[in-house]
Amino acid sequence: MLVVACIKQVPDTTQVKIDPVTGTLIREGVPFIMNPFDTHALEEALRLKDKYGFRVAAITMGPPNSTLTLRKALSLGADEVVLLSDRAFGGADTLATSRVLAEAVKKLGEKEEVVMVICGKQTIDGDTAQVGPGIATRLRYPQLTLVDQIKSVDVNTKKMIARRKLEGHHEIVEVKLPVVITVVREINKPRYPTVPMRLSSEDMPVTTWDNKTMHLDETTIGLKGSPTRVNRIFSPERVKGEIIGDGLKNPEEAAALLANKLVERDIIHL
Ligand SMILES: Cc1cc2nc3c(=O)[nH]c(=O)nc-3n(C[C@H](O)[C@H](O)[C@H](O)COP(=O)(O)OP(=O)(O)OC[C@H]3O[C@@H](n4cnc5c(N)ncnc54)[C@H](O)[C@@H]3O)c2cc1C
């Protein structure tokens, strides 16, 4: 039985700059990291392996240098890794990304029963939190987002009980397997690779699937398959000379001042 962890390689956004001309992220020379939420997704998959003996596959859709992040997954204990890489996959929005990932899960499921797909809550670059639910929809699997605890997995009854972290409260849910879940940071503390594992992962195979292998209709993937276009990325301009009201001494006046400013700028309507 297989647990699939979807991990994305992202630029270390603490160092990313935006190209003022093209309005796109400058990726050259920027270090890449495993998307932080995905380190928890992978860790949870490895804990299910430790507890229930499942095998773990880590998959990523990205450029060839995403092998870096897949080797990290191998050094942490993933049994196999798949790089989904093809120019035809490039420029994908969340709809096109979830299509390729869902098809990859189906393909892995042809040789081994998939019990769970684990995604991070969201990435630190696109930040949409749409891919996990998109994969579930395409696979027609039930989905649980914002999971912060897996309480039990019963492979005989094909059921799982998990806890979701909602605003101000938790929700305990029972769901049929296979399932797609997205996890939050609180679910676990990711392990570190051991030196022997790190060394042996350097020689372990990385399977690469391009579109010749996946045979996906090109109008449903990449830029062609993406109804959403990111036209421009920019940092909001900081407006100087703000009026500061002393909220502590005279809250009513400060509140009135703020409300007037917001009305003036058509931000709120009273
Ligand atoms: C600044 C910026 C803004 C964007 N805005 C939009 C937008 O509004 N709408 C839109 O459709 N696209 C948008 N995109 C494109 C979007 O980033 C890509 O489609 C991306 O591949 C998936 O979306 P995401 O990064 O938001 O992922 P999310 O939905 O936030 O990711 C959730 C989880 O899905 C899994 N996952 C996501 N991508 C991959 C991958 N490539 N490989 C493996 N697992 C993955 C991971 O487990 C991840 O934690 C944007 C990109 C950028 C850089």
Side-chain angles (χ1 to χ4, degrees):
M1 285 182 176
L2 192 66
V3 174
V4 180
C6 297
I7 58 175
K8 187 181 180 187
Q9 179 161 290
V10 294
D12 182 346
T13 48
T14 56
Q15 309 197 23
V16 156
K17 303 229 171 356
I18 295 168
D19 183 320
V21 181
T22 62
T24 58
L25 296 178
I26 299 172
R27 293 178 186 258
E28 289 70 39
V30 174
F32 287 100
I33 55 171
M34 187 186 295
N35 180 52
F37 279 102
D38 302 349
T39 63
H40 298 276
L42 178 62
E43 174 61 28
E44 201 57 25
L46 295 169
R47 289 183 183 206
L48 290 169
K49 171 181 176 175
D50 299 342
K51 191 166 178 186
Y52 300 99
F54 299 142
R55 276 181 10 95
V56 172
I59 65 173
T60 193
M61 183 189 90
N65 69 3
S66 304
T67 306
L68 200 75
T69 293
L70 290 175
R71 288 219 175 279
K72 178 118 194 263
L74 288 168
S75 73
L76 289 162
D79 298 287
E80 66 176 296
V81 292
V82 180
L83 170 62
L84 306 159
S85 195
D86 192 310
R87 280 193 170 289
F89 300 159
D93 70 358
T94 57
L95 203 66
T97 301
S98 60
R99 169 134 168 82
V100 174
L101 294 169
E103 290 300 321
V105 173
K106 279 187 199 160
K107 200 170 165 54
L108 287 165
E110 284 163 11
K111 59 178 172 67
E112 190 170 358
E113 183 187 352
V114 173
V115 284
M116 202 178 303
V117 177
I118 309 186
C119 296
K121 171 186 165 210
Q122 64 195 88
T123 66
I124 55 173
D125 60 349
D127 221 1
T128 64
Q130 293 171 4
V131 170
I135 295 171
T137 308
R138 291 177 180 286
L139 293 174
R140 298 184 187 290
Y141 286 5
Q143 59 176 284
L144 291 185
T145 56
L146 309 172
V147 171
D148 74 345
Q149 191 186 37
I150 294 181
K151 289 186 169 293
S152 67
V153 177
D154 186 329
V155 287
N156 302 318
T157 61
K158 293 258 185 290
K159 290 227 173 96
M160 175 179 89
I161 298 177
R163 188 177 73 173
R164 302 180 62 225
K165 183 174 183 291
L166 305 177
E167 277 185 38
H169 68 285
H170 283 99
E171 185 183 64
I172 310 289
V173 189
E174 182 183 71
V175 64
K176 274 213 191 86
L177 301 175
V179 63
V180 173
I181 67 170
T182 77
V183 300
V184 293
R185 290 180 213 283
E186 293 81 355
I187 193 166
N188 58 41
K189 197 171 173 335
R191 67 194 65 187
Y192 291 95
T194 61
V195 174
M197 284 287 282
R198 197 191 289 247
L199 296 173
S200 61
S201 69
E202 289 308 316
D203 309 321
M204 289 170 76
V206 171
T207 307
T208 300
W209 290 343
D210 58 13
N211 203 31
K212 287 197 190 65
T213 319
M214 305 279 291
H215 307 296
L216 302 176
D217 170 353
E218 290 217 356
T219 63
T220 66
I221 56 175
L223 210 51
K224 291 186 191 144
S226 299
T228 311
R229 290 272 187 289
V230 178
N231 282 342
R232 193 163 72 91
I233 306 171
F234 58 94
S235 304
E237 199 196 318
R238 221 178 139 64
V239 184
K240 293 249 172 320
E242 288 301 299
I243 299 167
I244 297 171
D246 184 350
L248 294 177
K249 288 209 196 73
N250 192 338
E252 286 77 23
E253 196 191 332
L257 183 72
L258 178 61
N260 291 340
K261 278 285 147 209
L262 293 173
V263 171
E264 237 174 64
R265 294 188 185 167
D266 217 16
I267 296 169
I268 61 169
H269 305 284
L270 291 179

